[in-house]
Amino acid sequence: MADVIAAPGQLSGGGTQEQKNYLNETKGIASWLFTVDHKRIGIMYLWAVLASFFIGGVFALLVRLELLTPKETIMSAEAYNRVFTLHGAVMVFLFIIPSIPAALGNFVLPLMLGAKDVAFPRLNLASFWIYAIGAIFAVTAMVTGGVDTGWTFYTPYSTTTSGAVSTMTFAAFILGFSSIFTGINFIATIHKLRAPGMSWYKMPLFCWSMYATSIIQVLATPVLGITLLLLIMERAFQIGIFDAKLGGDPVLFQHFFWFYSHPAVYIMILPGMAIISEIIPVFSRKTIFGYKAIAFSSVAIALVGFFVWGHHMFVSGQSVLAGAIFSFLTFLVAIPSAIKVFNWLTTMYKGQISLKTPMLYALSFLLLFAIGGLTGVFLGALSVNVHLHDTYFVVAHFHYVMMGGTVIAFLGGLHYWWPKMFGRMFNERVGAIACALVFIGFNVTFLTQFVLGSQGMPRRYYNYLDQFQPLHAFSTFGSWILGLGLLIAAVNLFSTFRKKPDAPRNPWGAATLEWQTDTPPITHNFHHTPTIDHGPYDYFPGQRKHA
Amino acid sequence: MSQVTGATGASTIHGHGHEHGHSPFLQHHFAEMEQQFDASKIGMWLFLVTEILLFGGLFVGFGIMQGKFPEAFYEAHHHLDWKLGALNTVVLLVSSYTMVMAVHSASKSNQKALIRYLVITLLCAAIFLVVKYFEYEHKIHDGLLPGKFYTYKGDHVPGGQQATFFSFYFMMTGLHGLHILGGMTVIGWVLKRAIAGHFNSSYYTPVDLVGLYWHLVDLIWIYLFPLLYLIS
């Protein structure tokens, strides 16, 4: 049994660490701001996205609070428009898109590959700085008039409304570059910096999913860049491409926008799937089922995801034929997602499941993502879409995917890698309670909105009919439970900094490379170049030669 | 999956201490120059893809607007001087050739030729910008400006979409011009390093990558020229 890797919770390997690691090797603010170490850049990104998550979350709570009553509750209609726009824009551009790739991925991906760093460390640092500059522009937009267009910046409203629309879109334009740089870095890293012996099929599935994500980041983001630039030019010079008065076409903006922003949805969800593919086998003590199916379904999602943007525009006046084709392709993209879910479930089958906090988040993900994904199929059906278009059903659907999927996976990954990042274990019981509250609060908030939407409650409305109030109130109560759960999770994680480092090298008994090095890792990641002598999910390498 | 594979020779590739002498330009996280070169090349190609998609959005937008207003665009394009456009095309083609020769000279460790070709490339880029300056000046003088700043009064085709044409003209050539400036900056940087003697047949990655970038900037112009100047 000597080479059996310890089961989760059965603490093993590496003592406490007073020795040098990436956190304490150099000191001072400059040693962080000018670092080229992927781990430190990942940590800086982590604080940045968590701050953004907090701001976006406060906006979300304000939106829900305002919707507690049918008329004015706490803010004017104009303020409400700004607050829901800022909630969307902050969450999408400042939080979700960089959350898993740039924060957790930056930290973990090179370690998983057995590399010393990403391929272009300086580009990586540039990515973070550009992100910071973009964030400054976004904050400037918030304090200088705000934006009331919704995060989608649809024309013609966005070209005619006052406020800081140009500043906000310019912020998103800048943030796009940071996303592109991360994508370029990851693709080159995965191609060229895998440890000796790590073939493509021996990479952890996290890396496959990140690879697919990066492809979308590189291919789609420039189109958003030019679209936002055109929007800014339209506002500044009235160039006439989106303005119908001048012969332009407002729907063209929607095409441009969704050509990026639908693939961007996969930029957001694929990294979530990446984390789930790591957590489930570790806490089931079983090799992942269908490795290649999961790996290639990531790539399939990335590719097919480029050809479904028209399903956002079923009622925008595109041709019936185009609508039918986009509808069909939308159904198609559901297949690889379903393949993943079935493979994760099969991985758990007859496994030794241990319900640690990361696994609880992974299980939440499975339930919530299944709902989010399937309701996406409803919305992809043309006739159903006409009924549900721009209602709360859509709001509920994408929150199930984005929050129930990506954010839950992000939280799972954060708990999973927290010991590796900071060398500290969090309180398991408190972590589980927080996860339960998040799960319950989330469902109370958003399951309600499916009902609201199917009854005809339009999204983004400030006032609503009295008949909707009980459901709206229920949803608002849910948002408080959700907020409380997140607060407890945050306190649980941050309170680990008050105690001495206590995390062992491999607390969960994982088989991927990041757990085989020190906790926290040394600056160069590994003392010796790692050698790949078992698969990423092979927990009993001595016993199953035939696998 | 569990069998030991690929461990042979692992310690020499990717090892911590590079015991044998290596290039001073090898970064610590790469095991050898070839790996570093390959990674850089992948990165550069990916960057070029993003550039193509960035301009691609403008090309699509231009195509759609031209399809909607062919007469106005046809009329507007007469204000462009195709001879100056053609001159600039030739200038950039020459610069692409000299860039190829610069990379070739670097790969042959011919420092003198490398410096000479880089200087010629820079000169071509400067000529391009000077010609562009005179073209812009002429447009500004005639009021052929983007969007609401369009003040030209002599249009025959009604509708005012000539302004849209010039919006695209200035956005596309302007963005391209910025790329020329960026190209001049990086060529200048490579030239400085070439003079310092950094490049030889075993290390000339920056020359190679800057060359790729420069070809892309030229290529975009090759498409812009007929698109804007030669509407039929």
Side-chain angles (χ1 to χ4, degrees):
Chain A
M1 291 296 279
D3 51 357
V4 174
I5 297 168
Q10 193 183 323
L11 306 182
S12 75
T16 49
Q17 46 304 111
E18 289 307 314
Q19 71 263 42
K20 289 277 178 208
N21 59 52
Y22 82 101
L23 289 169
N24 62 16
E25 181 151 321
T26 49
K27 289 212 182 325
I29 187 90
S31 77
W32 281 85
L33 288 178
F34 299 100
T35 184
V36 287
D37 179 1
H38 70 99
K39 297 182 289 302
R40 284 192 164 197
I41 294 170
I43 298 298
M44 290 195 290
Y45 254 122
L46 183 64
W47 300 143
V49 297
L50 286 177
S52 305
F53 185 46
F54 177 76
I55 295 169
V58 169
F59 284 134
L61 288 171
L62 290 174
V63 167
R64 277 318 321 164
L65 189 57
E66 171 52 42
L67 291 169
L68 187 61
T69 65
K71 299 280 174 320
E72 178 170 331
T73 314
I74 52 162
M75 62 179 98
S76 68
E78 291 73 25
Y80 173 79
N81 286 347
R82 291 202 185 96
V83 170
F84 81 68
T85 300
L86 293 178
H87 163 66
V90 168
M91 284 298 198
V92 169
F93 295 114
L94 287 171
F95 170 61
I96 297 193
I97 289 179
S99 65
I100 297 175
L104 298 179
N106 234 330
F107 188 95
V108 171
L109 184 106
L111 286 165
M112 279 185 164
L113 295 172
K116 287 186 205 162
D117 208 320
V118 291
F120 314 116
R122 280 172 298 184
L123 191 71
N124 202 15
L125 182 63
S127 160
F128 177 74
W129 280 9
I130 290 170
Y131 172 87
I133 294 168
I136 290 170
F137 271 92
V139 172
T140 310
M142 286 179 214
V143 295
T144 58
V147 185
D148 61 354
T149 60
W151 78 276
T152 47
F153 310 118
Y154 268 17
T155 55
Y157 187 68
S158 59
T159 50
T160 47
T161 181
S162 61
V165 179
S166 294
T167 318
M168 189 52 123
T169 44
F170 193 61
F173 174 77
I174 295 171
L175 290 167
F177 285 100
S178 87
S179 179
I180 289 173
F181 287 176
T182 305
I184 290 178
N185 236 328
F186 282 7
I187 293 176
T189 307
I190 291 171
H191 269 282
K192 296 313 299 182
L193 286 176
R194 282 170 286 131
M198 184 176 282
S199 64
W200 282 79
Y201 295 131
K202 288 213 169 81
M203 286 197 306
L205 284 164
F206 184 87
C207 305
W208 274 95
S209 236
M210 278 301 151
Y211 190 78
T213 308
S214 303
I215 289 176
I216 311 176
Q217 284 178 313
V218 168
L219 293 183
T221 316
V223 180
L224 177 77
I226 202 68
T227 308
L228 296 178
L229 212 54
L230 283 167
L231 180 62
I232 293 168
M233 292 296 156
E234 186 73 87
R235 282 179 67 89
F237 299 122
Q238 294 160 12
I239 61 174
I241 178 170
F242 300 135
D243 189 344
K245 263 205 318 289
L246 303 172
D249 185 356
V251 178
L252 184 62
F253 176 83
Q254 295 186 23
H255 277 292
F256 270 140
F257 182 81
W258 288 114
F259 182 81
Y260 162 78
S261 291
H262 196 78
V265 171
Y266 300 112
I267 294 179
M268 302 181 224
I269 190 66
L270 276 168
M273 296 167 159
I275 289 177
I276 300 305
S277 298
E278 294 307 311
I279 293 178
I280 287 194
V282 169
F283 294 90
S284 304
R285 312 303 305 151
K286 230 176 117 223
T287 304
I288 193 101
F289 185 88
Y291 176 95
K292 285 189 185 175
I294 295 180
F296 285 112
S297 62
S298 295
V299 180
I301 288 174
L303 297 181
V304 182
F306 272 102
F307 302 102
V308 299
W309 79 88
H311 69 217
H312 294 269
M313 303 165 57
F314 284 153
V315 298
S316 300
Q318 70 187 358
S319 75
V320 176
L321 178 67
I325 293 171
F326 280 124
S327 175
F328 173 74
L329 289 168
T330 304
F331 293 151
L332 212 59
V333 85
I335 295 173
S337 307
I339 288 175
K340 282 174 184 286
V341 173
F342 290 134
N343 279 300
W344 291 324
L345 290 176
T346 318
T347 302
M348 291 196 294
Y349 179 65
K350 288 190 177 173
Q352 303 163 35
I353 295 171
S354 89
L355 295 174
K356 300 283 174 190
T357 306
M359 185 61 167
L360 292 176
Y361 280 108
L363 294 176
S364 307
F365 174 97
L366 286 181
L367 287 163
L368 302 177
F369 178 71
I371 296 175
L374 286 172
T375 49
V377 178
F378 297 8
L379 289 168
L382 274 171
S383 51
V384 182
N385 184 282
V386 172
H387 178 65
L388 295 173
H389 204 94
D390 272 346
T391 67
Y392 265 73
F393 195 91
V394 178
V395 177
H397 156 67
F398 70 70
H399 278 91
Y400 264 85
V401 178
M402 297 291 93
M403 170 123 203
T406 309
V407 178
I408 294 288
F410 172 72
L411 291 170
L414 192 60
H415 284 84
Y416 179 61
W417 283 301
W418 189 270
K420 180 55 70 178
M421 289 192 280
F422 302 108
R424 291 164 158 90
M425 298 300 289
F426 50 85
N427 184 308
E428 188 58 48
R429 176 172 303 214
V430 177
I433 291 170
C435 178
L437 283 174
V438 167
F439 182 78
I440 294 166
F442 177 84
N443 280 299
V444 171
T445 311
F446 291 106
L447 209 55
T448 329
Q449 297 185 3
F450 281 123
V451 184
L452 273 172
S454 63
Q455 292 178 356
M457 172 73 210
R459 67 190 286 198
R460 290 181 173 172
Y461 275 34
Y462 173 68
N463 289 338
Y464 53 83
L465 300 176
D466 289 339
Q467 69 196 61
F468 292 129
Q469 202 201 351
L471 286 171
H472 265 303
F474 199 65
S475 180
T476 302
F477 298 146
S479 72
W480 297 340
I481 303 175
L482 180 53
L484 179 68
L486 290 170
L487 186 68
I488 294 175
V491 170
N492 189 30
L493 288 176
F494 285 115
S495 62
T496 60
F497 289 120
R498 293 174 53 191
K499 58 179 186 177
K500 270 179 132 39
D502 60 347
R505 178 183 290 248
N506 189 0
W508 316 119
T512 41
L513 285 178
E514 80 271 28
W515 299 103
Q516 317 309 323
T517 186
D518 290 357
T519 288
I522 56 167
T523 302
H524 287 291
N525 290 352
F526 299 96
H527 292 288
H528 305 286
T529 303
T531 49
I532 313 305
D533 56 2
H534 58 79
Y537 308 107
D538 201 355
Y539 302 106
F540 308 96
Q543 297 178 349
R544 292 199 295 169
K545 290 280 185 222
H546 60 279
Chain B
M1 285 289 274
S2 64
Q3 273 160 4
V4 178
T5 46
T8 41
S11 53
T12 51
I13 325 171
H14 232 269
H16 226 338
H18 305 285
E19 51 289 320
H20 44 258
H22 60 67
S23 165
F25 301 111
L26 180 64
Q27 291 174 283
H28 85 278
H29 57 292
F30 290 108
E32 48 190 24
M33 290 306 277
E34 197 188 339
Q35 186 192 26
Q36 176 172 313
F37 176 73
D38 288 350
S40 310
K41 202 124 189 183
I42 290 173
M44 194 65 203
W45 276 108
L46 288 169
F47 175 68
L48 297 187
V49 168
T50 69
E51 291 279 28
I52 289 170
L53 282 155
L54 188 77
F55 277 95
L58 281 175
F59 277 89
V60 170
F62 182 88
I64 287 169
M65 294 312 280
Q66 191 190 6
K68 282 180 91 171
F69 306 103
E71 293 89 5
F73 272 49
Y74 181 72
E75 188 189 20
H77 103 283
H78 284 305
H79 295 295
L80 305 185
D81 188 342
W82 69 267
K83 287 173 194 139
L84 289 179
L87 171 66
N88 259 348
T89 310
V90 172
V91 168
L92 282 191
L93 281 174
V94 170
S95 80
S96 253
Y97 171 75
T98 55
M99 196 70 224
V100 170
M101 293 312 292
V103 176
H104 178 74
S105 311
S107 75
K108 298 283 179 228
S109 302
N110 188 343
Q111 196 196 356
K112 258 192 194 148
L114 169 62
I115 292 169
R116 188 171 66 234
Y117 282 120
L118 285 175
V119 169
I120 299 173
T121 311
L122 263 182
L123 279 176
C124 286
I127 294 170
F128 178 92
L129 286 181
V130 169
V131 172
K132 205 76 226 154
Y133 169 78
F134 284 113
E135 284 192 77
Y136 275 5
E137 197 191 27
H138 175 247
K139 306 288 173 303
I140 293 165
H141 180 262
D142 286 354
L144 299 162
L145 288 166
K148 66 178 176 189
F149 298 107
Y150 186 85
T151 51
Y152 184 73
K153 293 285 178 248
D155 286 331
H156 302 293
V157 179
Q161 270 71 40
Q162 289 84 350
T164 304
F165 176 88
F166 278 97
S167 301
F168 273 100
Y169 169 80
F170 277 102
M171 270 193 81
M172 294 171 110
T173 58
L175 195 60
H176 180 259
L178 285 178
H179 279 77
I180 297 272
L181 277 177
M184 290 175 76
T185 313
V186 286
I187 293 171
W189 170 71
V190 165
L191 178 63
K192 190 170 152 246
R193 290 190 62 182
I195 292 167
H198 287 182
F199 304 125
N200 56 49
S201 58
S202 63
Y203 174 71
Y204 58 99
T205 312
V207 191
D208 206 23
L209 299 189
V210 167
L212 280 176
Y213 173 78
W214 190 249
H215 294 317
L216 180 89
V217 174
D218 291 356
L219 188 71
I220 288 170
W221 178 258
I222 306 269
Y223 281 94
L224 281 179
F225 172 57
L227 191 75
L228 297 168
Y229 290 75
L230 305 177
I231 299 177
S232 59

